[in-house]
Amino acid sequence: MKDKIVINGDVFVPMLTEEQIAVRTKEIAAQLSRDFEGKTPIFVGVLNGSFMFFSDVVRHFEGDCEVDFLKLSSYGEAKISSGSVTLLKDLNCSIDGRHLIIVEDIVDSGLSVKYILDLIKEHNPASVSVVSLLVKPKSMQYDLKIDYIGFSIPSEFVIGFGLDYAQKYRNLRAVYVLSEDEKNGK
Ligand code: IMP
Ligand code: MG
């Protein structure tokens, strides 16, 4: 694992290792396997950020399941949310009467998840659960229940394991955060 990533002079350091992520992902997949036994849930990946976590969760899910994807508008080049969401790709499957498991990379303000839940509710699913690798509890602006949380983290900008900065760094195998020293100007 790289011990630092330098982006335009900003230094990012590891926050979660590949091993920590792998262990937690298997725990969540085991829990989902128990909770959805015999239910053939549809895993809904939220593109692009969740692709890596999504594939690991689904790979470790025991039992029948289906997969589909939603794509929402992204932050673009900015590090903070634009405050509005648009749907770039809708689901292709029928969700009436089905158990849905939404898989997110990170819940920050919660706007994206709120948007997805509102969208899906109109189509009568049997149940909707939300799984997120990361949650920033102090940033959440909506009263949402994230049913399965990989890690609760401080409200810092992070990259790697699917998460981008200006579309790059998604392929890092660990999660990196802007270094404290860097922020304190050291
Ligand atoms: P929310 O709608 O504010 O909860 O933001 C959710 C989306 O913003 C996530 O699915 C990510 O794609 C993106 N995002 C939020 N925080 C970060 C971050 O720290 N790094 C990279 N992307 C982020
Ligand atoms: Mg996302």
Side-chain angles (χ1 to χ4, degrees):
M1 181 174 66
K2 289 179 189 152
D3 61 1
K4 66 174 183 180
I5 312 281
V6 183
I7 306 172
N8 300 332
D10 287 343
V11 180
F12 285 76
V13 294
M15 173 185 257
L16 297 167
T17 65
E18 196 177 347
E19 293 73 25
Q20 285 173 302
I21 296 169
V23 167
R24 189 72 190 108
T25 302
K26 283 182 199 162
E27 288 172 358
I28 289 176
Q31 186 67 51
L32 289 167
S33 303
R34 289 191 289 274
D35 294 352
F36 290 87
E37 195 180 348
K39 290 185 171 163
T40 314
I42 306 174
F43 283 92
V44 176
V46 185
L47 297 172
N48 294 333
S50 78
F51 77 101
M52 219 177 261
F53 179 56
F54 181 88
S55 77
D56 286 348
V57 168
V58 171
R59 216 188 325 221
H60 290 102
F61 181 80
E62 291 169 24
D64 289 342
C65 65
E66 296 176 23
V67 301
D68 202 349
F69 298 91
L70 278 174
K71 188 172 166 85
L72 305 181
S73 54
S74 74
Y75 283 15
E77 302 271 313
K79 280 193 206 160
I80 49 159
S81 174
S82 59
S84 66
V85 177
T86 52
L87 187 65
L88 300 179
K89 185 214 166 292
D90 204 346
L91 293 172
N92 291 106
C93 59
S94 164
I95 62 174
D96 193 346
R98 302 296 303 271
H99 295 279
L100 298 194
I101 304 175
I102 313 299
V103 183
E104 266 284 19
D105 50 355
I106 189 164
V107 179
D108 187 4
S109 70
L111 179 67
S112 307
V113 169
K114 170 91 171 56
Y115 179 92
I116 292 166
L117 294 176
D118 289 347
L119 183 81
I120 278 171
K121 262 194 311 211
E122 295 168 24
H123 300 280
N124 301 314
S127 72
V128 184
S129 304
V130 181
V131 185
S132 188
L133 173 64
L134 305 174
V135 175
K136 297 180 186 172
K138 293 207 171 121
S139 299
M140 291 244 310
Q141 290 171 25
Y142 301 87
D143 187 22
L144 298 173
K145 183 164 174 277
I146 309 302
D147 304 275
Y148 305 84
I149 296 174
F151 302 90
S152 291
I153 64 166
S155 298
E156 313 274 5
F157 190 75
V158 290
I159 57 170
F161 210 83
L163 292 148
D164 73 307
Y165 175 36
Q167 296 305 326
K168 292 198 319 199
Y169 313 104
R170 294 190 195 275
N171 58 324
L172 296 172
R173 293 197 295 266
V175 171
Y176 291 77
V177 64
L178 188 61
S179 142
E180 285 293 329
D181 284 355
E182 195 67 22
K183 280 181 299 195
N184 297 336
K186 288 182 198 159

